[in-house]
Amino acid sequence: MIIKRLELGPIMANCYILGCERTKEAVVLDPGDEADKVLMTLSGDELKVKHIINTHGHFDHVGANKRLKEVTGAELMIHREDEPMLSELSTHARAFGLSADNSPGADRYLADNDRIEFGDHALTVIHTPGHSRGCICLYSEPDKVLFSGDTLFAGSIGRTDLPGGDFDTLISSIKTRLFNLPDDTVVYTGHGPETSIGREKKINPFFS
């Protein structure tokens, strides 16, 4: 699997471009800002976007949805619980002194255990509420990689003080849904560096 990480926008959220080496089909995960940078990366690798996937609805992860969808025509996906945020991005961004375009609505609602295919690869949806009600992670078992959005970070967890957040729910999501994955699973996070499931079990202060 091709994996490209881009840090986008003033909050430096991680956007991931995942591609199939053989077919050149791709997905864009959490295009938070700087749509042209995403499009240039896709063009440089000759990748065709099949799906745009949002791990949750916060503006720093979905702010480039509108332009990316307009240019690529790709299917936009998010969990049903977070879809209402897509039409309120400009309001939420202003609360942080920033700006964002409202997103189109979802073409497909994602639910736990859904499978998203692109080329020879597939991602399995893991619903992990806590940072928001509709937070999801995406797992590729053959590649042993997890894209955790803002659920789990290297040495930390997602914040729970925003609307829809709940600390106990987030801790439960990580313990029961993520920590049962193999320890050598590489975790690509929504902000900051990558980590692994085994490392977070050992050193993350919220669980040690």
Side-chain angles (χ1 to χ4, degrees), residues 77-97:
M77 303 174 169
I78 193 171
H79 193 280
R80 183 184 296 272
E81 291 277 2
D82 274 21
E83 201 264 352
M85 296 186 202
L86 297 182
S87 62
E88 302 171 348
L89 301 183
S90 59
T91 300
H92 294 164
R94 278 199 301 272
F96 289 83

Side-chain angles (χ1 to χ4, degrees), residues 11-31:
I11 304 181
M12 299 183 70
N14 289 331
C15 167
Y16 295 96
I17 297 172
L18 314 179
C20 173
E21 298 91 338
R22 182 181 67 84
T23 67
K24 296 299 184 178
E25 284 189 346
V27 301
V28 177
L29 177 61
D30 284 354

Side-chain angles (χ1 to χ4, degrees), residues 179-198:
F179 280 0
N180 59 1
L181 299 175
D183 283 355
D184 59 348
T185 300
V186 177
V187 180
Y188 292 93
T189 63
H191 297 270
E194 64 194 58
T195 182
S196 71
I197 291 295

Side-chain angles (χ1 to χ4, degrees), residues 20-60:
C20 173
E21 298 91 338
R22 182 181 67 84
T23 67
K24 296 299 184 178
E25 284 189 346
V27 301
V28 177
L29 177 61
D30 284 354
D33 202 350
E34 300 180 83
D36 288 344
K37 187 173 181 180
V38 178
L39 292 166
M40 287 178 62
T41 302
L42 290 163
S43 177
D45 290 325
E46 299 181 335
L47 296 173
K48 178 176 175 57
V49 184
K50 186 176 181 182
H51 308 297
I52 301 166
I53 309 171
N54 299 152
T55 61
H56 60 293
H58 292 154
F59 75 91
D60 57 322

Side-chain angles (χ1 to χ4, degrees), residues 79 110-115 124-128 136-137 177:
H79 193 280
L110 295 174
D112 195 46
N113 291 319
D114 278 357
R115 181 178 169 90
T124 299
V125 175
I126 304 174
H127 184 208
T128 53
I136 61 166
C137 298
R177 304 307 312 281

Side-chain angles (χ1 to χ4, degrees), residues 133-189:
R133 293 185 184 92
C135 257
I136 61 166
C137 298
L138 297 152
Y139 179 54
S140 171
E141 183 175 3
D143 298 289
K144 285 192 175 180
V145 294
L146 177 79
F147 299 92
S148 66
D150 280 4
T151 294
L152 179 66
F153 300 131
S156 190
I157 61 172
R159 60 189 294 182
T160 57
D161 59 334
L162 298 173
D166 183 83
F167 178 82
D168 290 338
T169 301
L170 180 58
I171 293 297
S172 176
S173 288
I174 295 170
K175 284 183 174 179
T176 63
R177 304 307 312 281
L178 302 186
F179 280 0
N180 59 1
L181 299 175
D183 283 355
D184 59 348
T185 300
V186 177
V187 180
Y188 292 93
T189 63

